Amino acid sequence: MRSAPPLTLRRTGSRGSSAQVHVVGTAAGPLGGDSLRLDVSVLDGASLTLRSTGAQVALSGSSTVHFGLSVDGSAVVQQEPTVLARGCFVHNHSVASLTADSRLVWQDMVVLGRHGEEPGRMVQHWDVRRAGRPVLRTTTSLVEPSLYRSPAIVGSASVLGTGLVVAPGLSVSPYARDGAAVHALSGAALVTVLGVDAVEVSGLLASLVGSCVGAAGV
């Protein structure tokens, strides 16, 4: 493992070919002008759980965050929220490449602003491929409130939770309720949850992702 502030990696558990690693925030960020990159590879037969130790607060200015994931084995990625503080503009690129037999569980949360302040801005892009074929390609633009506050996008929500489960042969039934949905993809399931309370969104996201994981036998 190689890393440097503000994203420092710490191995927090291991057993055989399975490992748990935490991303520790060892400096403020991302700050305006920062370009952060984290690349992770999980080899065939290996299993990785990647978590973060706390929320990441994006501060004033424009920054870029790139997260690249290559999975031949099995990976669980569960990140604490990214908080968009006033004045920030984050360009977030999350890219994953999987083999036909690999498995992935990925959870992500975004909070629009700290308490009592106007939120910052973000463009979040996900590009997930399995065996070279697209599984999910989506862009969420949280730049112009007059657009993303539409009921068709996030409405009055201040917390956005996203979960993705990819596994060979995975098949789920679409599901929807106020503020939450499970979308059936080819060999994958996409979970989206919207709300105003991070704890509630996190709990519901974990529950729905857990149901998809159960269906996948991950």
Side-chain angles (χ1 to χ4, degrees):
M1 296 190 305
R2 291 182 297 164
S3 59
L7 302 179
T8 302
L9 301 177
R10 293 285 185 265
R11 188 162 182 164
T12 53
S14 62
R15 176 179 294 179
S17 60
S18 299
Q20 177 174 270
V21 174
H22 275 79
V23 181
V24 181
T26 50
L31 299 168
D34 280 354
S35 180
L36 308 180
R37 184 181 185 100
L38 178 62
D39 293 301
V40 177
S41 296
V42 183
L43 303 183
D44 185 24
S47 176
L48 173 69
T49 298
L50 181 67
R51 304 183 188 276
S52 54
T53 57
Q56 184 178 53
V57 181
L59 300 173
S60 182
S62 180
S63 59
T64 300
V65 179
H66 179 94
F67 179 43
L69 183 63
S70 175
V71 184
D72 287 346
S74 177
V76 175
V77 179
Q78 189 170 9
Q79 304 176 70
E80 295 297 317
T82 296
V83 181
L84 304 181
R86 181 174 56 195
C88 78
F89 193 167
V90 180
H91 303 265
N92 189 300
H93 304 271
S94 297
V95 180
S97 176
L98 291 76
T99 63
D101 297 325
S102 59
R103 299 168 183 267
L104 172 65
V105 180
W106 196 344
Q107 293 187 58
D108 180 84
M109 286 180 57
V110 175
V111 178
L112 291 168
R114 293 174 290 193
H115 179 71
E117 78 171 5
E118 291 295 316
R121 298 176 292 167
M122 170 183 272
V123 175
Q124 185 180 52
H125 179 67
W126 285 42
D127 186 353
V128 180
R129 294 175 175 269
R130 179 175 55 201
R133 299 176 62 87
V135 173
L136 174 68
R137 299 193 70 185
T138 184
T139 298
T140 302
S141 178
L142 301 173
V143 174
E144 178 50 60
S146 63
L147 298 178
Y148 72 70
R149 286 301 181 193
S150 161
I153 306 180
V154 302
S156 60
S158 55
V159 184
L160 295 73
T162 306
L164 179 66
V165 180
V166 185
L170 174 61
S171 178
V172 300
S173 299
Y175 166 84
R177 51 163 283 186
D178 288 346
V182 176
H183 312 269
L185 307 177
S186 177
L190 175 66
V191 179
T192 55
V193 179
L194 302 175
V196 297
D197 183 276
V199 174
E200 292 181 1
V201 170
S202 177
L204 181 54
L205 179 65
S207 176
L208 293 175
V209 168
S211 295
C212 296
V213 168
V218 176

